[in-house]
Amino acid sequence: MVFSPFTLPALAFLSLSASASPRPRTTSSTASLKLAVRINSEGITNVVAADRARAQALLQGSSSSSIDATNAVRIYTTDVGVGSPPTNYTLLVDTGSSNTWIGGYKPYEKTTTSQDTGGQFSVAYRDSSHVSGEEYLDTVTLNSHLVIEKQSIGVVADYHGNHSLDGILGLGPVDLTQGTVSNAYEVPTVMDNLYAQNTIISEVLGVFFSPASSGDSSGELTFGGYDASKTTGPVSYVPITSTSPANKYWGFDQSISYGYTPILTKAPGIVDTGTNLILIATDAFDKYKSATGGTLDETTGLLKISPDQYDQLLSLYFTIGDGIYELTPNAQIWPRSLNSAIRGTGTTDGIYLVVSDIGNNSGSGLDVINGYCFLERFYSVLDKTNSQVGFATTEYTHATLN
């Protein structure tokens, strides 16, 4: 989470260009970018503590690039080219932050398209580590159909983090970049520039993740729209919430019921690819814990249930706008094939629930985080053009994988 070191007079605020060399608007409606999932081979002791720390950082509402890669069990990455000719960098995909930066593991290779803006960027994390360095403009190649000229990117000079990753691809709203670069009020995101340069016809991002426990452990981002071939039903939309701080992210209002029992009513939440679990307000979690009979596993921080309790588990229903999204019993449990990724579980066939405590009661302004375990069961559409978020079912919504 960023704690900006820069306090500049209003007259000194500059905006980095979002309209370099505009081209005629493409006739193609969308272009897709393939993702890969990585499992943290070193494991993590307490996945809930890691996710909850991120949640509390998001709740503070500061501008942010907020992934702590060292604490992620599952992370989705994509290879992005920078420069001309491009050097490929493996970047984390993050909808909870908006700055794009490189140089964490692989150093920045300057080419004829590299332009130093003269600005300094700085991003601080919840664990007191940070990234900082210079802000450049450069050609960024997501794939052959998604090439951005003069994209603003941070080039790190000081990095402490996951040494198999090169940086972050920020896909959150542009407001989250405010205060992160010394000579700019905010910096246009990848999505901003794709639209400004007429590469896509609308500022819409489709997000598809297949569960890591499935045979197809991959994902896909679709820029300019969504991929209907990945959905099994219509997309239902809901407006961006007006409640702060959820409204600074891809935030929306939702209600949750366990079976027929309401546990959370019209609460603001966000889509966040940087969170592994589904986090809900403490008062709602207490109701969920009581209803499921789960007991807290001190090592993992997850609720653990017996096979008999799993057989009695009811579906968890998320009401979002006019849509009702069913998280089946199988979708509520951590993939047993990935138990080894959580150090200290003690058993490979233990059953752990993926719904956990966000760390504050409802009414905080951020009561739900729909992380990977939700997003791997539903297709999501992040629509800046119409200030809305949409969801649809996929082939994995009711699949038995875990």
Side-chain angles (χ1 to χ4, degrees):
M1 200 65 175
V2 169
F3 299 96
S4 173
F6 305 115
T7 303
L8 301 179
L11 292 177
F13 283 163
L14 303 173
S15 290
L16 301 178
S17 172
S19 57
S21 302
R23 297 179 288 274
R25 188 76 66 188
T26 179
T27 57
S28 174
S29 60
T30 63
S32 296
L33 178 65
K34 295 295 182 183
L35 307 177
V37 66
R38 293 188 177 196
I39 307 299
N40 187 344
S41 60
E42 297 179 357
I44 180 171
T45 299
N46 193 310
V47 63
V48 175
D51 273 359
R52 190 178 296 150
R54 178 177 170 92
Q56 293 306 306
L58 294 172
L59 182 60
Q60 293 174 19
S62 301
S63 305
S64 73
S65 283
S66 52
I67 278 184
D68 179 355
T70 60
N71 278 342
V73 179
R74 293 173 291 176
I75 51 177
Y76 277 90
T77 66
T78 189
D79 288 337
V80 173
V82 179
S84 182
T87 299
N88 284 334
Y89 299 87
T90 300
L91 305 185
L92 290 138
V93 172
D94 187 18
T95 61
S97 70
S98 302
N99 292 75
T100 293
W101 58 265
I102 64 171
Y105 177 66
K106 182 185 294 185
Y108 180 44
E109 296 289 340
K110 297 179 184 178
T111 67
T112 56
T113 56
S114 305
Q115 300 178 44
D116 192 336
T117 69
Q120 299 292 309
F121 87 98
S122 181
V123 176
Y125 294 91
R126 59 181 177 265
D127 62 355
S128 299
S129 64
H130 69 280
V131 292
S132 61
E134 297 182 59
E135 194 77 7
Y136 279 78
L137 300 178
D138 211 335
T139 299
V140 170
T141 302
L142 302 180
N143 60 30
S144 60
H145 301 289
L146 296 166
V147 180
I148 309 167
E149 299 173 12
K150 297 184 178 180
Q151 173 62 43
S152 184
I153 57 171
V155 176
V156 301
D158 183 16
Y159 174 71
H160 305 279
N162 191 318
H163 285 228
S164 65
L165 297 164
D166 301 320
I168 287 177
L169 179 66
L171 297 172
V174 69
D175 290 355
L176 296 178
T177 69
Q178 293 174 7
T180 59
V181 177
S182 61
N183 62 351
Y185 174 60
E186 60 185 27
V187 292
T189 67
V190 164
M191 180 70 74
D192 290 337
N193 278 324
L194 284 171
Y195 181 74
Q197 295 176 27
N198 296 334
T199 303
I200 57 176
I201 62 174
S202 60
E203 293 179 279
V204 177
L205 179 69
V207 181
F208 173 75
F209 296 137
S210 53
S213 53
S214 70
D216 177 24
S217 56
S218 62
E220 181 181 274
L221 299 178
T222 299
F223 292 85
Y226 71 92
D227 185 351
S229 71
K230 296 290 193 297
T231 67
T232 57
V235 177
S236 180
Y237 291 96
V238 64
I240 296 293
T241 182
S242 60
T243 304
S244 179
N247 61 355
K248 298 180 180 180
Y249 305 93
W250 293 112
F252 50 94
D253 294 325
Q254 58 190 299
S255 300
I256 305 175
S257 296
Y258 178 74
Y260 292 106
T261 304
I263 63 173
L264 191 62
T265 303
K266 199 174 182 182
I270 66 171
V271 167
D272 183 28
T273 61
T275 298
N276 280 283
L277 305 172
I278 299 167
L279 301 181
I280 63 177
T282 301
D283 46 333
F285 174 74
D286 288 342
K287 295 176 184 177
Y288 178 78
K289 178 183 176 183
S290 176
T292 61
T295 57
L296 189 65
D297 179 76
E298 295 294 341
T299 302
T300 65
L302 297 170
L303 291 179
K304 188 174 183 179
I305 59 175
S306 68
D308 287 343
Q309 289 171 320
Y310 174 67
D311 290 339
Q312 301 300 315
L313 200 62
L314 302 179
S315 290
L316 197 63
Y317 295 96
F318 294 75
T319 300
I320 302 171
D322 294 330
I324 299 177
Y325 304 91
E326 180 185 10
L327 205 67
T328 64
N330 186 264
Q332 291 174 59
I333 66 172
W334 181 261
R336 279 169 275 195
S337 62
L338 298 183
N339 276 359
S340 60
I342 310 175
R343 293 198 304 267
T345 59
T347 174
T348 57
D349 59 355
I351 305 175
Y352 301 90
L353 299 175
V354 298
V355 178
S356 194
D357 183 0
I358 202 171
N360 50 260
N361 283 322
S362 57
S364 70
L366 179 55
D367 296 339
V368 185
I369 297 183
N370 302 77
Y372 282 153
C373 293
F374 182 90
L375 298 174
E376 289 173 336
R377 297 286 180 155
F378 301 100
Y379 195 102
S380 56
V381 182
L382 312 179
D383 182 353
K384 178 182 177 181
T385 299
N386 298 298
S387 298
Q388 62 186 2
V389 176
F391 297 98
T393 57
T394 75
E395 63 178 300
Y396 295 112
T397 298
H398 297 101
T400 302
L401 300 164
N402 297 333

